């Protein structure tokens, strides 16, 4: 057949292949995410709710009979509740670092609390650490954080610099007052990088800001919201009407218990408003919601750690065993429980798997998505480690540790305590030290812990000048 004079000859095979290869490379991010099953139609929205210092027993679904938490209870009933879930640390910053990196906190430079006083700050989030919002953002998610950050007060360790498209919250550690939002007189409230000075109770503000963000969200891409409440961390400041309501119902409660119970009920109400807004905006059916706490409750503030001994700051179960539940309509069967052992750092790969994203193999965290979805998962068989640098005047940066594998747990509550060995399955209150009766188990856990300590030994947790992470607060 004769070709018209203006017809183009087909490209030679090699050139055609080259053109197609270049085209494929230009689309590679899209193709990669499609291959992982993470197109917008299938990827869930994700809401990760982290509360601060909530006792294991301070929810109705966790056995409490003297406070009402209907919204978290309903969330647990609509999904799966994990009974053997651990915070990565018995204090704030390290757990948050583990949550957002999927790694042991001492491997990313946060073995202790990041504080606004540089001389008493024991963490410097590694610049090399990849945070969960950055991974999700690269995969097409819109990422937002509302609430307490507590991983740095200056560049490069600000939320907007570490993967969050949007930040509305508090950079610092604790608030000296839930109504005035200061720490040592310094205002750490921010809208992205802008200093703001809002009015209202911090719990209400974080709730309202989250609901507002949801109501205004119109993008087609899925979203990730990390909602980190300050409550029920001290100071224990429930709104007066919530305290009065609680005391009217519980006339025999001590003042200390009434304060924190009302504080938790107010927090639960805020979570309920967020979940209600998810429904009102049409997002509830395609959203994975995860709820947990950064460490155990402060019993000296009236918290209840359920059947466990110890409290916040302790490596005893009461300091590190925390509530956790997850709901995902149509994917997680309602009303389930699991006693699989897991940690905060496991949420990173779990969320990534739910979003269809391959995780970095270097993560210590392991996905528990199969467990959440009711599928079989190989029995847990790994060494888990806990570390905290104690920053008080006596220890001033000296670490203390715990380790667990299977039913066995090695732990100490202060740097100068001897390590003790417990069978957690038969002795959850950790009353009987078995280090002399089971020396082979003690030695095995000690070897693993020593190896972990050696692995982390050269990870910097302070700036080269010996200070903390570039804080702007007053000097100590």
């Amino acid at each position: 057949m004769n070709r018209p004079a203006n017809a183009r000859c087909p490209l030679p095979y090699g050139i055609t292949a080259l053109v197609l290869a270049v085209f494929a490379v230009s689309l590679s991010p899209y193709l990669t995410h499609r291959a992982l099953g993470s197109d917008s139609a299938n990827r869930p929205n994700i809401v990760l709710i982290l509360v601060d210092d909530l006792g294991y027993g301070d929810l109705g679904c966790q056995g409490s009979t003297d406070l009402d938490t209907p919204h978290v209870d309903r969330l647990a009933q609509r999904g799966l509740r994990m009974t053997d879930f651990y915070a990565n640390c018995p204090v704030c910053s390290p757990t948050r670092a583990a949550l957002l990196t999927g790694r042991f906190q001492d491997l990313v430079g946060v073995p202790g609390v990041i504080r606004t006083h540089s001389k008493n700050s024991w963490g410097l989030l590694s610049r090399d650490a990849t945070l969960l919002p950055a991974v999700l953002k690269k995969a097409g998610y819109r990422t937002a954080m509302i609430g307490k950050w507590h991983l740095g007060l200056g560049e490069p360790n600000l939320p907007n610099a570490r993967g969050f498209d949007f930040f509305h919250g508090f950079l610092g550690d604790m608030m000296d007052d839930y109504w005035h939002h200061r720490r040592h007189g310094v205002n750490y409230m921010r809208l992205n990088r802008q200093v703001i000075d809002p009015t209202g109770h911090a719990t209400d503000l974080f709730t309202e800001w989250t609901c507002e963000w949801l109501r205004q969200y119109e993008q087609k891409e899925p979203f990730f919201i990390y909602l980190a409440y300050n409550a029920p961390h001290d100071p224990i400041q429930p709104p007066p009407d919530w305290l009065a309501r609680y005391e009217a119902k519980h006339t025999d409660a001590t003042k200390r218990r009434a304060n924190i119970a009302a504080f938790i009920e107010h927090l639960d109400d805020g979570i309920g408003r967020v979940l209600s807004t998810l429904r009102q905006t049409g997002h509830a059916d395609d959203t994975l919601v995860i709820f947990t706490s950064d460490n155990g409750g402060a019993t000296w503030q009236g918290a209840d750690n359920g059947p466990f001994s110890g409290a916040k700051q302790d490596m005893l179960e009461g300091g590190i065993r925390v509530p956790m539940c997850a709901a995902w309509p149509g994917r997680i069967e309602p009303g389930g429980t699991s006693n699989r052992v897991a940690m905060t750092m496991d949420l990173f790969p779990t969320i990534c798997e739910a979003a269809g994203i391959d995780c970095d193999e270097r993560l210590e965290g392991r996905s528990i998505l199969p467990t959440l979805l009711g599928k079989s998962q190989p029995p847990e068989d790994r060494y888990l480690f806990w570390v905290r640098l104690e920053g008080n005047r006596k220890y001033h940066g000296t670490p203390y540790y715990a380790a667990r594998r299977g039913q066995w747990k090695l732990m100490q509550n202060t740097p100068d305590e001897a390590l003790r060995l417990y069978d957690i399955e038969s002795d959850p209150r950790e009353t009987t030290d078995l280090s002399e009766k089971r020396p082979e188990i003690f030695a095995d856990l000690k070897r693993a812990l020593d190896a972990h300590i050696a692995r982390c030994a050269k990870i910097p947790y302070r700036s080269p000048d010996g200070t903390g992470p570039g804080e702007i607060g007053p000097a100590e």
Side-chain angles (χ1 to χ4, degrees):
M1 179 185 294
N2 292 328
R3 214 178 258 111
N6 62 348
R8 297 185 179 182
C9 294
L11 291 171
Y13 175 79
I15 297 177
T16 302
L18 177 62
V19 170
L20 291 174
V22 170
F23 182 68
V25 168
S26 70
L27 290 179
S28 60
Y30 174 75
L31 293 173
T32 299
H33 299 145
R34 293 283 294 184
L36 293 170
S38 58
D39 56 284
S40 295
N42 296 325
R43 290 179 292 168
N45 303 309
I46 299 153
V47 176
L48 175 57
I49 303 173
L50 183 72
V51 298
D52 201 334
D53 293 6
L54 180 68
Y56 186 90
D58 272 333
L59 296 169
C61 60
Q62 296 285 115
S64 177
T65 58
D66 70 340
L67 54 73
D68 297 319
T69 53
H71 303 291
V72 175
D73 295 348
R74 195 173 302 121
L75 179 69
Q77 184 59 39
R78 293 205 310 264
L80 181 135
R81 183 172 62 88
M82 299 195 71
T83 60
D84 290 51
F85 193 84
Y86 286 94
N88 263 71
C89 190
V91 291
C92 297
S93 297
T95 295
R96 292 160 201 273
L99 171 67
L100 292 178
T101 64
R103 309 201 66 193
F104 286 116
Q105 60 269 21
D106 36 348
L107 284 171
V108 293
V110 191
V113 178
I114 295 174
R115 293 195 175 95
T116 54
H117 288 163
S118 61
K119 292 182 180 179
N120 192 25
S121 188
W122 306 100
L124 180 65
L125 184 62
S126 171
R127 294 191 183 202
D128 298 331
T130 300
L131 271 59
L132 177 60
V135 173
L136 292 170
K137 184 175 180 177
K138 186 176 180 181
Y141 274 75
R142 301 292 293 175
T143 58
M145 181 189 170
I146 292 99
K148 174 178 171 176
W149 171 240
H150 203 184
L151 287 175
L153 303 173
E155 301 286 359
N157 287 335
L158 296 177
N160 296 106
R162 301 308 294 260
F164 285 105
D165 296 308
F166 177 82
F167 172 62
H168 205 171
F170 186 73
L171 292 177
D173 48 359
M174 62 177 284
M175 293 180 181
D176 293 329
D177 187 286
Y178 274 76
W179 301 95
H180 301 296
H181 329 123
R182 301 293 196 271
R183 180 60 169 155
H184 299 128
V186 178
N187 180 5
Y188 294 107
M189 279 289 203
R190 300 289 187 270
L191 174 56
N192 295 315
R193 289 180 170 88
Q194 177 187 353
V195 178
I196 58 173
D197 195 7
T199 59
H201 193 283
T203 299
D204 290 328
L205 290 174
F206 297 161
T207 296
E208 291 163 6
W209 293 343
T210 305
C211 294
E212 179 183 17
W213 192 92
L214 285 168
R215 286 191 291 265
Q216 294 179 353
Y217 191 78
E218 297 179 349
Q219 283 87 347
K220 294 181 180 179
E221 298 86 359
F223 59 77
F224 167 61
I225 297 177
Y226 172 38
L227 171 55
Y229 284 102
N230 279 70
H233 192 294
D234 70 294
I236 310 301
Q237 292 180 309
D241 56 331
W242 282 87
L243 178 58
R245 187 182 314 163
Y246 183 88
E247 290 181 324
K249 289 175 60 179
H250 303 272
T251 56
D252 58 344
T254 65
K255 187 67 175 179
R256 185 175 67 173
R257 181 59 182 168
N259 267 321
I260 197 166
F263 204 27
I264 293 168
E265 289 188 347
H266 176 236
L267 170 65
D268 177 78
D269 181 74
I271 293 169
R273 289 162 58 192
V274 171
L275 298 177
S276 177
T277 302
L278 276 174
R279 293 190 294 272
Q280 293 166 9
T281 54
H283 294 303
D285 288 342
D286 55 2
T287 299
L288 167 62
V289 180
I290 300 172
F291 170 91
T292 190
S293 178
D294 66 345
N295 49 252
T299 52
W300 58 90
Q301 300 284 356
D304 178 4
N305 289 319
F308 306 117
S309 58
K312 171 185 177 174
Q313 302 184 16
D314 291 338
M315 294 297 184
L316 291 163
E317 294 289 284
I320 55 178
R321 186 97 68 108
V322 293
M324 185 276 188
C325 62
W328 187 2
R331 300 298 303 277
I332 298 177
E333 287 293 324
T337 60
S338 171
N339 64 356
R340 184 180 184 83
V341 175
M343 295 183 81
T344 313
M345 67 182 181
D346 296 330
L347 296 180
F348 184 120
T350 300
I351 289 170
C352 286
E353 185 176 358
I357 302 168
D358 278 337
C359 278
D360 190 326
E361 295 179 354
R362 294 172 297 176
L363 298 184
E364 288 76 38
R366 294 182 182 177
S367 174
I368 54 171
L369 187 65
T371 294
L372 297 182
L373 299 182
K375 299 178 181 179
S376 61
Q377 192 164 3
E380 180 56 70
D381 184 23
R382 59 175 165 164
Y383 293 99
L384 301 176
F385 306 108
W386 291 263
V387 61
R388 185 213 173 178
L389 289 191
E390 173 58 77
N392 65 28
R393 284 185 171 83
K394 178 179 179 181
Y395 298 113
H396 201 65
T398 306
Y400 58 106
Y401 299 97
R404 177 173 174 170
R405 186 184 186 195
Q407 71 199 72
W408 300 103
K409 178 182 171 187
L410 193 68
M411 57 79 60
Q412 58 183 168
N413 274 332
T414 65
D416 53 11
E417 277 186 0
L419 288 164
R420 307 191 295 274
L421 178 68
Y422 296 106
D423 181 342
I424 294 301
E425 291 183 2
S426 64
D427 181 21
R429 289 192 61 82
E430 296 162 284
T431 60
T432 305
D433 178 10
L434 299 175
S435 54
E436 293 186 2
K437 290 186 177 180
R438 300 302 303 267
E440 75 286 3
I441 301 294
F442 184 97
D444 176 67
L445 283 169
K446 183 65 163 55
R447 278 193 298 268
L449 178 58
D450 287 344
H452 176 76
I453 293 170
R455 183 184 179 197
C456 301
K458 295 184 179 180
I459 307 295
Y461 60 87
R462 310 195 86 175
S463 299
D465 62 1
T467 64
E471 295 88 339
I472 57 175
E476 188 175 33

